[in-house]
Amino acid sequence: MIQTLGLSSDDDRPNRSADLVTAFQGVCETQLSAVYAYIRYRVSNADAAEDLTAKTFLKAVERLETFDPGRGDLTVWLFGIARHVITDHIRAGRRWRWLPIDWLHQSGSPEPNPERAAAGQEENRPLAAALAHLPDRDRDVLGLKFASGLTNREIARITKLTESNVGVIVYRAVGRLREQLAGTGGRHG
């Protein structure tokens, strides 16, 4: 869910900085688990997801004064930073795998129940394999949609796609996942 600020891009009041910090604190409290879930969707290692989540919020704090409310909402800006942090992580050549969408509906806790996690890994192996065959853009949009629970409009703002394009990408990517899972005998769908 996008949070709007009571700030305008031409707001030169001396307390704009204080208002921005207060608004950012609220976004941090409400969006931490969504940012973590999105990052966890994109990287397979919980420790890496925690590190990248921390890096996302650190970069946001460092760049908070550059935030321009006229260009979008604070939450969209934060998810944009998260996307860049993930891209930097991937470009650095670290090995990563995609996580199944079903895992994301569990608690946002980085420490799942071990029995449940083991059973989930085995059960979701076909879904993980199918996700690995999707293009990066599709996985990114699905991660924002299912891991973070964002709307198509919010995803469109973050990815700079049109809202209808986001809907088409989600629809087609889910369709490709279903086809791949049907071909492998996967139980998902």
Side-chain angles (χ1 to χ4, degrees):
M1 170 178 293
I2 301 268
Q3 292 204 349
T4 58
L5 302 176
L7 302 171
S8 66
S9 57
D10 58 336
D11 189 355
D12 291 326
R13 294 178 297 147
N15 61 350
R16 177 188 184 275
S17 182
D19 292 345
L20 187 57
V21 169
T22 301
F24 182 70
Q25 287 172 337
V27 168
C28 288
E29 291 171 9
T30 60
Q31 297 300 315
L32 176 62
S33 62
V35 170
Y36 172 79
Y38 168 60
I39 293 173
R40 183 72 169 104
Y41 179 83
R42 296 291 313 269
V43 298
S44 63
N45 182 310
D47 291 335
E50 288 177 21
D51 290 346
L52 294 175
T53 301
K55 189 179 286 188
T56 296
F57 282 93
L58 179 61
K59 284 187 180 215
V61 167
E62 290 171 348
R63 299 178 182 158
L64 189 56
E65 288 300 319
T66 67
F67 171 71
D68 179 5
R71 295 186 63 201
D73 298 299
L74 194 53
T75 301
V76 170
W77 179 74
L78 182 62
F79 274 96
I81 292 171
R83 287 183 75 221
H84 288 287
V85 167
I86 293 167
T87 301
D88 291 346
H89 173 74
I90 292 168
R91 284 185 183 151
R94 296 187 179 112
R95 183 182 149 117
W96 50 271
R97 294 176 296 161
W98 298 97
L99 289 178
I101 291 172
D102 290 349
W103 288 352
L104 302 171
H105 295 291
Q106 297 176 7
S107 166
S109 170
E111 299 179 24
N113 175 324
E115 294 84 22
R116 187 185 235 172
Q121 284 178 346
E122 187 61 35
E123 181 181 314
N124 292 309
R125 197 173 307 247
L127 181 58
L131 281 167
H133 288 95
L134 290 178
D136 286 342
R137 181 186 69 175
D138 293 3
R139 288 184 289 210
D140 190 39
V141 169
L142 289 178
L144 290 166
K145 180 77 171 176
F146 296 109
S148 298
L150 298 177
T151 66
N152 288 0
R153 178 170 289 155
E154 293 165 338
I155 295 168
R157 289 180 189 155
I158 292 167
T159 60
K160 299 191 180 6
L161 298 168
T162 65
E163 188 175 346
S164 60
N165 194 359
V166 169
V168 168
I169 290 168
V170 169
Y171 177 80
R172 289 181 180 169
V174 169
R176 282 193 289 271
L177 287 174
R178 282 190 181 127
E179 288 175 11
Q180 289 181 16
L181 291 170
T184 62
R187 296 184 353 213
H188 299 279

